[in-house]
Structure formats: structure tokens, C-alpha cells
Amino acid sequence: MVTANSDYLKLPGSYLFSTIAKKTNDYVKAHPDAKLIRMGIGDVTQPLPPAVIKALHKAVDEMGHAETFRGYAPDLGYEFLRHAVAENDYRARGCDIGDDEVFISDGAKSDSGNIQEIFEKDNVIAVTDPVYPVYVDSNVMAGRTGTYDAQTTRWSNVVYMPCTEANGFSPDFPKRVPDVVYLCSPNNPTGAAMNKEQLQAWVDYANQNGVVIIFDSAYEAYISEDNIPHSIFECEGARTCAIEIKSFSKNAGFTGLRLGATIIPKELRDHNGTALYSLWARRHGTKYNGAPYIVQRAGEAVYSEEGKAEVKAMVARYMDNARFIKESLSGMGYEVYGGVNSPYIWLKAPNGATSWEFFDTLLEKANVVGTPGSGFGPSGEHFFRLTSFGTKENSRIAMERIAKL
Ligand code: MLT
């Protein structure tokens, strides 16, 4: 008989955002007239940019004609999109990344979850605490765990790096040197962004200790301050220690279309000297048939002049919300972080409430849905995450309701 490994079974019963969706749906069933404002999962609300819609229509038409029809996509991505990503997101910023080091996928969430497949089973991973749950859960599901401590609900091969007010939500180097470190900047959930010196220090640490950094840059479009790197490849030496995962969801609104990319430099090797580039290419070839042609054309349109301007305007609207939410909450006396280089606002629950207590209060008394900080890890306890991905009107109504609590 085949059973899931026992470590898998020690994970929470469902994925954080599925738990929140269930709780929210149960509430709506019991209170059908409630006008909920959803500021929980980081899902966008503005429609796709017109340049993207135009490209989708054109690609759909091509699929309907014998001369322009496309079957299986190349498993590593179409050349036109690999080139657009390498050129615009990397070479335009002075990062030395070749078109063939860009692997196109159906999204950053899948890549974040799947990338662990190219590492050895006994590898130790380090993650920030709080953390985007996919990094930990996917490694535990793969059995990369060591021993389990029921009291702390932690595995010995998963090293946590607390990110608290005391360290400005920026992780310190872990006491035990891991094989792989996951970093996300601007960070989900805290909204904190690493500056160039901080990220360079991580690259130096990784190169000195033979560590691979998996850098999640899903929120780079929200960077508003200078000296915050948009890519880890802006740091010297990153080609020998870093993988970067990028998303089209948060910048261009592709949460429902699905498109992402992972960048692996050819020099990057594991402890055995194997090129991680080749392992990821092998993995893609075996388990993946490529993102749909029409979606890759839509992705290409994000880099057109029209597309770039439209994406910029879209991000600016969400950041207006972020500023408004941050200022409103601060004005109400909340301790508020994030929201400057990030669409996420990270706030302290009032009066010592736990994250889940505050979730219930907001849901029941203000009909606002957010995300409990403790769902991202123990250091997130007593914190709460709100997103600025809603409409301006809903952000305003949500703040009015919270002010009345
Ligand atoms: C989040 O809310 O943390 C993200 O939207 C989840 C995701 O991108 O998968």
C-alpha cells in the first residue's frame, strides 16, 4: 500500500490560503448579505492591460489558421519570450543573463514549489520566518525534513531565520549553514525590501559557504526606493550562487492567465559539480509541456512600449492604495510596516490579539478579510497582512470600517 510520507501528514491540514478561503466562504454562507472586502490573498483586481488583451486576441487568431497554428510549445519557453525577459528584466539593468538561462513556466508559485526537485533529499534549507508557505511545504512534501519536533512543529532540516521588528524584518545569517536559502524581496508577507548592501552580503555569504540562494522577485515591480535591487543578479557574484524566480502575476495581472520564469545561470553548480541549469532543463523536459503559446505572446506584450506604460500605471494604482491603507492605519494608531516597496501592509494586531483573533474580529465586525501573520510562521504571530490589490473604493470603505472597530 502506498501512503503519503509521515512528514507530509504533519503539515497543516490545508494550504494557508485554502484555509482562509474556506473560513471566508463559511462566513458568507452563514451571512449571505455581508458585503465582504477581500484583502487576504494577493490577487489582483484590475483588468489585464490592453496591450496584453490585443496580443491574446492575435495569438488566438493565429491558432485558428493552418499556417500559424502552434502545437506543443518548446518546453523551456518560446525564444521570443525568453529573449524579452532576459533583455528587459536583466540586461537592461546591467545583469549578465543570456536568453537561454531563462526558463518559462506557468507561474512563480509552481516554480517555487517545484525547484526543490533539483536538490538532494538530505539538503538543509533555510527560510525566513514569516515565510511564503510554499517554500517550506514543498520541501516537507518532498521529504527534505530530518527529525520532527512536535512541540515547535518544526523539522530539523528546515532552518528558520526570524524577521522581526528588532532586525527590521531582514534575516540574519543562520547559525547552521544550510544548502539552500530562500529569500523574497520585496518580501511576502512583511513587505520589507533588502537594500543592495544587504543582498550583496547574502550573495557573498552564499559564495563563501557553498549555499544556493533561491531569490523570489515576484514583487520587484513595486519597488519605489533607490538602492533596492530588482534582481539578485544586480549583485556581484550572483551567477555562481543564485536562482531567481519571477512572476507575471503581480506586475501585469496574470494571476488568472499563469506565466512565470526562472533564471538559472550556467555556472551555478551543486555540491557534486552538477549544473543546476541542466537539472532544471531535464525536469522541465520530463514533466512540463510549456506554457501555452497565447499566454507567452501575452507575456511578450508586457515588454512592448505600450505594455510597459500600462503595467506601470497599474502598479501605481495599487501603490496609491498601499500608501492610503498605510497612512490610514497609522492614523488610527496601528503599528504598520511594508507598503512602500510592496503591495503588502504588515500591521500589528491591536491590544495583544493573536493573528487569528484579529482575523475573526475583522471578518465578523468589519467584513474585511486579511491574512493572519502566524499563518506565515511563528514570528508572524500578532501580525496581520492586508493587500492593496483591491479597488480604491474598497480600500477606502475597508479603512472606514476598521476605524469604527
Ligand atoms: C499571497 O497572497 O501570498 C500570494 O498571492 C500567493 C501566491 O502568489 O501564490
Side-chain angles (χ1 to χ4, degrees):
M1 192 174 80
V2 178
T3 51
N5 77 56
S6 57
D7 286 309
Y8 194 141
L9 297 176
K10 286 172 197 142
L11 284 168
S14 66
Y15 181 61
L16 173 63
F17 292 103
S18 312
T19 307
I20 292 169
K22 180 168 182 330
K23 265 185 162 271
T24 308
N25 292 341
D26 288 348
Y27 183 82
V28 170
K29 260 189 220 141
H31 305 85
D33 295 332
K35 296 213 169 4
L36 287 195
I37 296 181
R38 293 169 195 269
M39 303 170 84
I41 191 164
D43 197 2
V44 295
T45 52
Q46 289 183 52
L48 287 163
V52 167
I53 294 295
K54 218 184 327 171
L56 282 168
H57 280 298
K58 182 163 179 282
V60 167
D61 287 343
E62 283 171 31
M63 292 297 257
H65 292 95
E67 315 78 60
T68 45
F69 168 76
R70 313 273 182 136
Y72 287 124
D75 49 23
L76 306 185
Y78 280 104
E79 290 304 321
F80 62 77
L81 184 56
R82 301 176 84 188
H83 174 74
V85 170
E87 188 60 35
N88 291 281
D89 286 332
Y90 296 97
R91 294 196 289 268
R93 293 196 176 112
C95 308
D96 171 25
I97 294 296
D99 297 0
D100 58 353
E101 292 173 318
V102 176
F103 298 79
I104 303 299
S105 73
D106 66 350
K109 181 177 181 183
S110 324
D111 282 358
S112 306
N114 292 327
I115 197 74
Q116 53 75 25
E117 290 183 28
I118 63 174
F119 296 96
E120 290 191 50
K121 176 122 184 248
D122 63 357
N123 275 184
V124 172
I125 66 154
V127 295
T128 58
D129 169 23
V131 63
Y132 177 45
V134 172
Y135 310 153
V136 175
D137 293 13
S138 58
N139 276 284
V140 170
M141 286 170 169
R144 199 169 289 106
T145 50
T147 51
Y148 182 70
D149 178 340
Q151 210 164 10
T152 58
T153 66
R154 290 184 159 184
W155 290 270
S156 60
N157 283 355
V158 180
V159 174
Y160 287 82
M161 305 179 290
C163 291
T164 60
E165 289 150 297
N167 62 11
F169 302 101
S170 180
D172 299 318
F173 299 133
K175 288 197 182 74
R176 178 178 174 200
V177 175
D179 299 285
V180 179
V181 172
Y182 287 78
L183 296 176
C184 174
S185 175
N187 186 261
N188 178 14
T190 66
M194 284 189 198
N195 65 31
K196 182 73 185 288
E197 291 71 30
Q198 287 170 319
L199 192 55
Q200 183 64 57
W202 272 102
V203 167
D204 295 343
Y205 167 87
N207 278 324
Q208 280 153 17
N209 293 285
V211 172
V212 174
I213 298 175
I214 298 174
F215 185 74
D216 183 345
S217 66
Y219 300 93
E220 63 81 18
Y222 292 84
I223 293 173
S224 66
E225 293 181 318
D226 296 337
N227 200 33
I228 307 287
H230 288 249
S231 163
I232 196 165
F233 296 111
E234 290 175 43
C235 296
E236 210 172 308
R239 284 188 60 86
T240 50
C241 68
I243 291 175
E244 182 161 311
I245 296 177
K246 55 174 283 89
S247 169
F248 285 77
S249 290
K250 316 294 173 169
N251 59 340
F254 277 44
T255 52
L257 267 190
R258 309 308 306 147
L259 191 65
T262 286
I263 319 303
I264 308 189
K266 290 190 176 156
E267 292 92 308
L268 183 62
R269 314 259 144 185
D270 66 11
H271 295 310
N272 307 313
T274 310
L276 294 178
Y277 169 94
S278 329
L279 295 183
W280 190 237
R282 181 73 170 82
R283 191 257 168 215
H284 255 263
T286 305
K287 295 195 176 178
Y288 190 56
N289 264 334
Y293 173 69
I294 57 174
V295 179
Q296 294 198 48
R297 280 294 185 203
E300 182 190 29
V302 168
Y303 297 103
S304 65
E305 284 315 307
E306 200 186 345
K308 280 182 196 167
E310 290 162 2
V311 162
K312 205 166 154 200
M314 197 150 92
V315 167
R317 286 177 65 175
Y318 291 135
M319 283 312 282
D320 273 351
N321 290 343
R323 246 185 315 276
F324 171 73
I325 295 167
K326 190 177 168 101
E327 280 168 19
S328 303
L329 291 170
S330 301
M332 293 173 215
Y334 284 87
E335 264 177 69
V336 193
Y337 304 91
V340 174
N341 296 297
S342 162
Y344 293 132
I345 316 292
W346 187 240
L347 61 132
K348 199 80 174 270
N351 309 320
T354 66
S355 303
W356 279 106
E357 282 166 356
F358 191 56
F359 174 90
D360 289 336
T361 304
L362 273 198
L363 179 62
E364 289 160 20
K365 303 225 166 83
N367 285 178
V368 171
V369 182
T371 310
S374 56
F376 297 100
S379 295
E381 181 56 287
H382 300 294
F383 281 91
F384 201 76
R385 195 193 77 176
L386 291 175
T387 88
S388 64
F389 284 123
T391 61
K392 190 172 183 172
E393 179 65 356
N394 276 347
S395 305
R396 187 185 60 74
I397 298 171
M399 291 306 109
E400 276 173 13
R401 291 184 189 171
I402 294 175
K404 288 192 194 131
L405 284 178

